[in-house]
Amino acid sequence: MDEEKTKGQQEKPNEGQDKDKKKQKAKYIFNCTKCGQCCEKKDYVLITTQDLLKWSQDGVLNSVFSFLEFEMAKEPIADQPYFQLKMIKEEGGCPMYDAENKTCKIYHSMPIDCQSFPLGYNGSQYYIRDKTCPGLGNGTMTKEALIRDRDNAKKDFAAKIETFTILPLVYSLFMKQMLKQQEQFMKDMPEDKRKQLEELPV
């Protein structure tokens, strides 16, 4: 009998190791502490076309418009350069963060990039975007909260892919409209003012 038990134990040599690995694998637990760390240290916030549409409906677009910038991404996707739309301020940090009250000025309509933080998704798996976030490991995590965070991470990924595809077209239309307005402005300008402008050194 002892021999059979020993034999059975020898047939599963990795059973103990598998249990140890499961214990070592950390569970995703996140509850925001409202410390403001993620808002204050951000260099910029990536904005998607979905954010713009929502802001247009919510009446938030005018509040953020002056902080929006088009920028060519430093690292291309699939060897193709692409535009990014960022919400940014010169001194750093999110321009919509109220440091004094430690609140978001557009909390009811915050960018999806912020809604999904600190969980990220790359198309195949989830990952932690900032392992120094104080909210990680804080308290307990309900099943509903986990599903919500995973859904937000996937939505963020999908929205960014969509934006990378659409943004060059949006940028082209924007520039076309700007040139059209500039042309109309020059036509409406008095002759003497137009000559003065043309004589200015470039």
Side-chain angles (χ1 to χ4, degrees), residues 149-168:
D149 285 6
R150 285 181 172 176
D151 284 348
N152 282 338
K154 280 190 171 182
K155 285 176 186 174
D156 180 50
F157 175 76
K160 283 172 181 171
I161 293 298
E162 179 186 79
T163 302
F164 295 157
T165 305
I166 295 174
L167 208 55

Side-chain angles (χ1 to χ4, degrees), residues 13-196:
N14 296 325
E15 191 174 331
Q17 292 177 6
D18 290 341
K19 285 180 181 178
D20 288 341
K21 282 181 181 177
K22 285 179 182 177
K23 284 180 183 178
Q24 289 172 5
K25 190 176 179 182
K27 290 182 179 179
Y28 171 76
I29 296 174
F30 173 72
N31 287 286
C32 182
T33 63
K34 297 187 175 13
C35 66
Q37 177 178 297
C38 60
C39 306
E40 289 180 315
K41 71 178 186 179
K42 274 181 181 286
D43 291 328
Y44 58 85
V45 180
L46 274 178
I47 302 304
T48 68
T49 49
Q50 289 187 22
D51 292 323
L52 294 177
L53 287 171
K54 187 177 182 185
W55 287 342
S56 179
Q57 294 166 358
D58 294 349
V60 172
L61 197 55
N62 286 341
S63 302
V64 301
F65 187 78
S66 61
F67 300 105
L68 297 179
E69 288 185 15
F70 280 105
E71 187 178 283
M72 183 68 75
K74 292 178 181 176
E75 294 185 14
I77 292 179
D79 296 324
Q80 294 294 322
Y82 63 94
F83 285 106
Q84 288 180 333
L85 183 59
K86 296 178 177 181
M87 185 164 63
I88 190 169
K89 65 176 182 178
E90 289 182 12
E91 58 269 33
C94 176
M96 291 294 106
Y97 180 61
D98 180 351
E100 187 177 341
N101 297 303
K102 292 188 177 293
T103 57
C104 175
K105 295 175 185 175
I106 54 170
Y107 183 81
H108 65 287
S109 194
M110 69 170 66
I112 192 166
D113 181 69
C114 303
Q115 291 177 41
S116 64
F117 187 86
L119 194 63
Y121 182 71
N122 61 14
S124 60
Q125 61 184 8
Y126 298 98
Y127 64 94
I128 303 299
R129 291 159 58 187
D130 183 359
K131 292 181 180 178
T132 67
C133 177
L136 286 169
N138 175 42
T140 58
M141 194 76 176
T142 64
K143 185 179 178 181
E144 292 76 19
L146 180 60
I147 291 171
R148 178 203 63 211
D149 285 6
R150 285 181 172 176
D151 284 348
N152 282 338
K154 280 190 171 182
K155 285 176 186 174
D156 180 50
F157 175 76
K160 283 172 181 171
I161 293 298
E162 179 186 79
T163 302
F164 295 157
T165 305
I166 295 174
L167 208 55
L169 176 60
V170 174
Y171 180 78
S172 298
L173 290 171
F174 177 76
M175 292 305 295
K176 185 178 179 181
Q177 184 64 23
M178 286 290 288
L179 289 170
K180 189 176 178 180
Q181 288 179 354
Q182 185 180 14
E183 186 179 336
Q184 187 62 46
F185 176 74
M186 291 295 287
K187 281 181 181 178
D188 296 341
M189 187 181 288
E191 185 69 25
D192 59 329
K193 295 290 182 183
R194 187 163 59 247
K195 283 184 179 180
Q196 287 179 11

